[in-house]
């Protein structure tokens, strides 16, 4: 049905409305997912469960990397083309604008999974190797922590740490001591800054996506807007100031190119 639409206003209105909705899903679920992983390893920490703590922390790092990878590929292009996209969302597009990359990355964020041979799915649904997401962060400390956590999740010497200890007399002894809390505290002591850094690499861009949506002046996005108070930490950041500069420049460029087009169309002002 979408391919049958011929006029640029309706075509662009639908196209960018769907993309902005997917951006909202990406921003909102990224934050909610991180909170779930924090709850998971926090619960395991207080239960003195070394395995649960490491698994939860590993899940957090993977979630952070996934969010950073996706937002890093879409947030700047949307900011730099903000004026054109805003006109499309107002039902007032004067020129077509498409981005296969943004489409595929947002579809990948939601639908990525291990594709079976029998599945009839596009390439954007195929999950990439987690190392690719982690490498996008470009932080050797994150990679080091992740490798350590994998050593616990997979069968290895570190996975036996709750049961085996070296002593002065013996390289390893089997014991019945409860040392999970000490193991968990050791990870936190060595990697607290890394955990915070990885978290910021996800929460910052995710909040940036939501604040970017708040900037659009179009009825169709009103239901997607987030309360300003929730996004206050982002408002004062250098990251947001750079995005806002790009947004303002894009709006200015669009108005200069189409000075007569800066009004809501009749058909879309009611949110149709």
């Amino acid at each position: 049905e979408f391919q049958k639409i011929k006029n640029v206003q309706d075509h662009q209105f639908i196209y960018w409305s769907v993309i902005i909705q997917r951006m909202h899903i990406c921003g909102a679920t990224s934050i909610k997912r991180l909170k779930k992983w924090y709850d998971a390893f926090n619960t395991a920490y207080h239960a003195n469960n070394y395995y649960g703590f490491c698994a939860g922390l590993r899940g957090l790092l993977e979630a952070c990397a996934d969010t950073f990878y996706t937002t890093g590929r879409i947030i700047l292009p949307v900011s730099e083309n903000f004026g054109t996209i805003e006109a499309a969302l107002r039902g007032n597009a004067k020129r077509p604008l498409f981005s296969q990359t943004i489409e595929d990355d947002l579809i990948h964020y939601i639908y990525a999974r291990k594709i079976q041979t029998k599945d009839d799915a596009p390439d954007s649904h195929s999950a990439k190797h987690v190392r690719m997401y982690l490498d996008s962060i470009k932080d050797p400390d994150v990679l080091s922590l992740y490798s350590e956590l994998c050593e616990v999740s997979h069968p290895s010497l570190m996975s036996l740490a709750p049961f085996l200890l070296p002593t002065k007399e013996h390289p390893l002894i089997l014991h019945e001591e409860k040392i999970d809390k000490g193991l968990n505290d050791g990870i936190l002591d060595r990697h607290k800054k890394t955990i915070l850094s990885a978290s910021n690499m996800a929460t910052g861009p995710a909040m940036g996506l939501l604040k970017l949506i708040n900037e659009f002046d179009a009825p169709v996005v009103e239901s997607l807007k987030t309360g300003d108070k929730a996004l206050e930490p982002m408002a004062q950041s250098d990251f947001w100031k750079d995005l806002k500069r790009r947004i303002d420049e894009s709006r200015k460029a669009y108005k200069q190119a189409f000075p007569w087009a800066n009004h809501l169309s009749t058909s879309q002002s009611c949110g149709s």
Side-chain angles (χ1 to χ4, degrees):
E1 293 299 315
F2 178 69
Q3 292 175 353
K4 295 177 183 178
I5 298 172
K6 299 302 181 183
N7 76 74
V8 68
Q9 290 83 8
D10 289 347
H11 195 278
Q12 287 288 283
F13 174 77
I14 295 171
Y15 181 85
W16 285 105
S17 295
V18 171
I19 285 182
I20 298 304
Q21 288 175 57
R22 287 187 176 140
M23 279 176 51
H24 181 262
I25 288 174
C26 179
T29 59
S30 289
I31 294 171
K32 288 177 174 289
R33 183 170 62 180
L34 261 61
K35 175 62 166 60
K36 286 282 189 184
W37 281 120
Y38 262 103
D39 289 344
F41 80 75
N42 186 52
T43 299
Y45 175 83
H46 288 290
N48 294 325
N49 187 315
Y50 178 57
Y51 289 165
F53 177 79
C54 290
L57 187 50
R58 178 185 169 186
L60 177 83
L61 294 185
E62 291 183 356
C64 289
D66 181 36
T67 294
F68 183 82
Y69 174 84
T70 302
T71 55
R73 291 164 61 90
I74 65 175
I75 199 165
L76 288 183
V78 172
S79 300
E80 291 169 350
N81 293 279
F82 193 91
T84 302
I85 297 170
E86 186 172 57
L89 294 172
R90 291 160 68 96
N92 198 28
K94 299 301 178 185
R95 60 187 178 194
L97 176 66
F98 302 96
S99 175
Q100 189 70 48
T101 299
I102 292 176
E103 283 185 68
D104 288 345
D105 284 335
L106 287 170
I107 289 171
H108 180 79
Y109 174 83
I110 298 172
Y111 293 105
R113 63 197 186 279
K114 186 175 182 180
I115 301 297
Q116 304 297 325
T117 305
K118 61 182 180 180
D119 291 344
D120 181 19
D123 291 342
S124 58
H125 286 211
S126 180
K128 298 176 173 65
H129 194 281
V130 67
R131 186 58 185 251
M132 194 196 73
Y133 303 122
L134 289 164
D135 285 345
S136 70
I137 293 180
K138 294 183 172 62
D139 186 333
D141 292 334
V142 171
L143 294 178
S144 176
L145 172 57
Y146 185 75
S147 296
E148 180 177 336
L149 297 172
C150 288
E151 288 281 324
V152 178
S153 298
H154 302 153
S156 70
L157 177 62
M158 287 184 65
S159 71
L160 302 178
F163 321 112
L164 299 176
L165 275 176
T167 68
K168 291 181 179 180
E169 294 81 14
H170 303 285
L172 285 176
I173 62 168
L174 181 64
H175 65 87
E176 294 184 354
E177 301 297 321
K178 302 296 183 182
I179 65 169
D180 288 53
K181 185 179 188 306
L183 293 171
N184 293 341
D185 285 339
I187 291 174
L188 288 179
D189 289 342
R190 287 181 285 111
H191 298 293
K192 194 172 292 184
K193 289 183 179 179
T194 302
I195 296 168
L196 178 60
S197 176
S199 300
N200 287 338
M201 288 180 184
T203 54
M207 292 173 72
L209 278 187
L210 297 178
K211 193 159 179 60
L212 189 62
I213 293 171
N214 281 8
E215 286 291 309
F216 285 111
D217 181 15
V220 71
V221 301
E222 287 302 313
S223 64
L224 304 179
K225 292 191 174 182
T226 305
D228 289 334
K229 187 173 180 59
L231 301 178
E232 279 181 359
M234 173 55 52
Q236 303 304 318
S237 68
D238 291 337
F239 176 64
W240 174 251
K241 290 175 183 176
D242 178 63
L243 291 180
K244 188 64 168 66
R245 177 185 58 78
R246 295 170 191 265
I247 290 169
D248 293 342
E249 289 176 355
S250 177
R251 271 178 168 157
K252 182 178 179 181
Y254 188 85
K255 288 180 180 179
Q256 289 175 343
F258 303 101
W260 65 89
N262 299 310
H263 62 276
L264 280 170
S265 72
T266 303
S267 62
Q268 303 300 352
S269 61
C270 296
S272 60

